[in-house]
Amino acid sequence: MTDPDDRPAHPGGRSRDSGGAGLPDSAAGRTGPPPRAGALRVETHGLDVIAEGERKGSPRTLFWPWFGANVSVFGLSYGAFALGFGISFRQALLASVLGIVFSFLLCGLVAVAGKRGSAPTMVLSRAAYGVRGNRLPAALSWMLTVGWETVLVALASLATATVFDRLGWGGGTGTKIVALVVVGTLTVVGGVMGFDLIMRLQTVITVITGVLTLVYVALVADHVHLDAVTAIPDGSAQEFVGALVFMLTGFGLGWVNAAADYSRYLPRSASTAGVIGWTTFGASVAPLLLTVFGLLLAGSSAQLSAAVAADPVGALTTILPTWFLVPFAVVAVLGLVGGAVLDIYSSGLALLSAGLRVPRPLAALVDGVLMIAGSVYIVCVADDFLGPFTGFLTTLGVPVAAWCGIVLADLLLRRRDYDETDLYRPRGRYGDVPALPLLLTLAATALGWGLVTNASADWLTWQGYLLGPFGLGGRAGSWAYANLGVLASLALAFLGTLALGRHRVRAQEARAAGEAPA
């Protein structure tokens, strides 16, 4: 029996040159006549390759989706999160700059794969993991993006309820549910409609949230007290590393698994340096500015810093004049929706990559239902936000860091563009379930989970099992909350692939050149 992923190109369907990766029109999800230029439509692209004729734009267009997704006022709350590790302002500033820029640089590097392969991120990683071996990281990617979109929608609902409460309009459970339905609907519609609406939406969000965020900063600037900020004592090296890793996982490492989903629409002739630069710059600039100002606010008020842990966005309204509460609600909701829309779009693609055979819009809709259910739990049931959030980031951050290390090393070893047809064929050059990347992922994840802890989440107390054997003081030692496991997982996967994967990549590219496979 012929494997459906290993069939030849359909005579009446798409050829590789037309962008369908040898899949029939029905598999590629493309039916009917092309829409008129400028018309909004539901994107029918799923896991198929983007045709050359549909690839457009330049690297600078990547600025808009990445900036719009990261300009949320949620970035201000990261100042309080960083200082919560017990470090000084200057240490938190350094950890924030290094963590934000380096993590989004990883996104920029992964985005290069989109230009070279025209397929979604979690399809391109089949070159490293094999066609069906890639289902493991695709499932992890799906969980991460669904988790993030759930967190963002829940935060938007909590912030709206806080604003309504301060205005005397009622901020109870009913308000939270209504806000959740509205925000969730906006997010799901954006995810189902797809690329064209997302690009237009992110441009609008960028302008509105950018302007209103500047107004917010001007209004609360008098709450910054530099004497209090500079008086915060230095923390230990371990606490600094913990804050650095938190920034890594809270920003760029939460996006690497989707980094090529937008660059795949660029022409192959687009500048590689431009793709890296505009992705990194667009994603980093807003979080950098917002986090620095958040550090100043949190360092000036211990009460505000503590409140952020319970309601990261809503707590920021407590220092605002009443007349700006409604505009603040607008900027908060739009900024969070901007990130959630990109997440739900990519989570739908990841779900398809994990093996679900449905159209992309339906996959995004399924994710939307799960997102709303998870948001209801956070908004109406959970008592604490920061503890479970930190545990979620760290736990999934470890295997995602391993995936990132393997994909980046694989991309670095390649001298040719991806063979788009073989990305969909288990018996093609990339293989079906190769052992090396899967074993490296498991080893890096086991190492990483052994070097991280999270005392605020009871379901994660099993982690940190290597801190004692490695002489790092055990689960109660000074290195317990440095979360070294994320860095260790990334390094082991990257170096292991460089050292052991070179021969496999060369054999694939020899075959791509028409030579016999090794």
Side-chain angles (χ1 to χ4, degrees):
M1 182 176 180
T2 303
D3 191 299
D5 285 323
D6 200 23
R7 57 181 176 261
H10 191 280
R14 288 171 170 258
S15 67
R16 179 169 176 255
D17 290 339
S18 66
L23 297 178
D25 284 333
S26 58
R30 305 276 294 164
T31 56
R36 67 183 184 276
L40 267 182
R41 58 192 176 93
V42 176
E43 181 191 357
T44 52
H45 282 302
L47 299 185
D48 54 315
V49 171
I50 305 302
E52 292 296 332
E54 295 182 60
R55 304 184 74 174
K56 56 192 175 182
S58 64
R60 68 171 58 92
T61 60
L62 294 174
F63 174 86
W64 298 108
W66 286 108
F67 185 89
N70 290 283
V71 72
S72 165
V73 291
F74 184 33
L76 292 167
S77 301
Y78 275 84
F81 297 159
L83 291 175
F85 280 86
I87 56 178
S88 65
F89 171 77
R90 66 185 186 90
Q91 287 177 311
L93 178 61
L94 181 59
S96 299
V97 172
L98 292 177
I100 291 171
V101 174
F102 177 70
S103 65
F104 281 122
L105 176 61
L106 295 178
C107 291
L109 294 170
V110 173
V112 173
K115 178 183 82 87
R116 295 178 62 180
S118 321
T121 313
M122 296 313 298
V123 170
L124 295 169
S125 75
R126 292 175 177 178
Y129 278 89
V131 174
R132 284 188 287 204
N134 188 64
R135 290 179 180 178
L136 173 63
L140 291 171
S141 172
W142 174 72
M143 286 189 286
L144 180 67
T145 46
V146 169
W148 261 114
E149 69 204 35
T150 299
V151 165
L152 295 176
V153 169
L155 286 176
S157 304
L158 289 170
T160 302
T162 301
V163 168
F164 273 50
D165 184 57
R166 282 204 61 200
L167 290 171
W169 298 348
T173 302
T175 301
K176 294 176 184 177
I177 294 297
V178 171
L180 194 154
V181 170
V182 173
V183 173
T185 299
L186 286 173
T187 302
V188 172
V189 168
V192 169
M193 290 294 292
F195 180 80
D196 286 340
L197 178 60
I198 288 174
M199 294 299 284
R200 299 186 192 191
L201 183 64
Q202 295 298 69
T203 303
V204 173
I205 287 176
T206 296
V207 174
I208 296 175
T209 55
V211 171
L212 291 180
T213 300
L214 290 175
V215 174
Y216 175 89
V217 170
L219 289 174
V220 302
D222 60 342
H223 289 270
V224 173
H225 305 293
L226 291 179
D227 290 343
V229 172
T230 56
I232 301 173
D234 284 346
S236 65
Q238 295 91 333
E239 290 166 334
F240 170 80
V241 173
L244 171 63
V245 173
F246 181 82
M247 289 295 173
L248 285 170
T249 54
F251 286 101
L253 270 184
W255 287 109
V256 287
N257 55 316
D261 290 352
Y262 302 92
S263 56
R264 67 180 175 135
Y265 284 88
L266 293 177
R268 294 184 191 278
S269 58
S271 163
T272 296
V275 170
I276 297 171
W278 282 106
T279 299
T280 306
F281 175 67
S284 297
V285 61
L288 282 171
L289 296 174
L290 290 168
T291 302
V292 170
F293 191 71
L295 286 170
L296 293 171
L297 284 177
S300 301
S301 170
Q303 182 179 2
L304 175 63
S305 186
V308 165
D311 185 0
V313 177
L316 300 172
T317 66
T318 59
I319 54 177
L320 276 175
T322 303
W323 67 267
F324 192 69
L325 289 177
V326 172
F328 177 84
V330 171
V331 68
V333 169
L334 283 180
L336 293 166
V337 166
V341 165
L342 260 67
D343 274 323
I344 196 171
Y345 178 79
S346 294
S347 69
L349 294 175
L351 187 57
L352 297 180
S353 299
L356 184 66
R357 292 179 175 273
V358 297
R360 185 207 61 80
L362 181 57
L365 186 60
V366 169
D367 287 349
V369 172
L370 294 174
M371 172 193 74
I372 291 174
S375 301
V376 169
Y377 173 79
I378 293 175
V379 170
C380 301
V381 179
D383 296 324
D384 174 42
F385 171 81
L386 185 56
F389 177 59
T390 303
F392 160 73
L393 285 182
T394 304
T395 300
L396 283 184
V398 168
V400 169
W403 172 88
C404 182
I406 288 172
V407 168
L408 286 179
D410 181 84
L411 182 64
L412 182 63
L413 289 172
R414 294 190 182 278
R415 298 170 181 170
R416 302 176 185 275
D417 288 346
Y418 297 100
D419 185 289
E420 294 162 351
T421 302
D422 278 355
L423 287 171
Y424 300 85
R425 298 195 307 122
R427 286 188 280 275
R429 74 202 64 213
Y430 301 123
D432 190 8
V433 187
L436 176 63
L438 293 174
L439 290 175
L440 270 177
T441 300
L442 293 175
T445 300
L447 173 65
W449 280 343
L451 296 175
V452 299
T453 60
N454 188 285
S456 300
D458 293 338
W459 54 283
L460 295 176
T461 54
W462 55 271
Q463 294 178 345
Y465 46 81
L466 294 178
L467 290 168
F470 282 14
L472 297 174
R475 291 186 176 95
S478 57
W479 286 100
Y481 301 104
N483 289 327
L484 290 172
V486 176
L487 299 176
S489 179
L490 176 66
L492 176 60
F494 180 78
L495 296 175
T497 303
L498 281 184
L500 303 174
R502 186 179 303 273
H503 175 74
R504 178 170 175 261
V505 171
R506 292 292 169 263
Q508 292 172 356
E509 295 191 330
R511 188 175 174 185
E515 302 172 13

